[in-house]
Amino acid sequence: ATGALVGTVLHMAGQLDDALLGSLSWGRFRAVLRPKVAGAQSLARAVPEGKAAWALFSSITAMIGNVGQ
């Protein structure tokens, strides 16, 4: 297939489960990480290796919670 070259891939998926990391169960933790990992894997399969710069962004808030929200 031919087409435009991809110069940069930005991946900014998120899933909010507002709680401190210590109070999250493994199920809730997996639910927060699932869209991030699945999206990165999908993009990695779609973009040929070495053909684009990558930026995977995740706020630490997604991991430890947003206290006082």
Side-chain angles (χ1 to χ4, degrees):
T2 61
L5 297 176
V6 175
T8 305
V9 174
L10 300 175
H11 176 50
M12 294 176 264
Q15 171 71 32
L16 180 63
D17 189 343
D18 196 17
L20 292 174
L21 184 59
S23 64
L24 287 176
S25 67
W26 277 110
R28 289 173 68 192
F29 183 75
R30 281 191 301 269
V32 169
L33 287 183
R34 186 174 295 121
K36 300 171 187 303
V37 173
Q41 288 173 329
S42 294
L43 289 169
R45 286 190 296 269
V47 178
E49 187 173 336
K51 297 297 183 184
W54 285 81
L56 305 178
F57 175 79
S58 178
S59 169
I60 192 65
T61 300
M63 301 296 295
I64 63 173
N66 190 7
V67 180
Q69 179 178 340

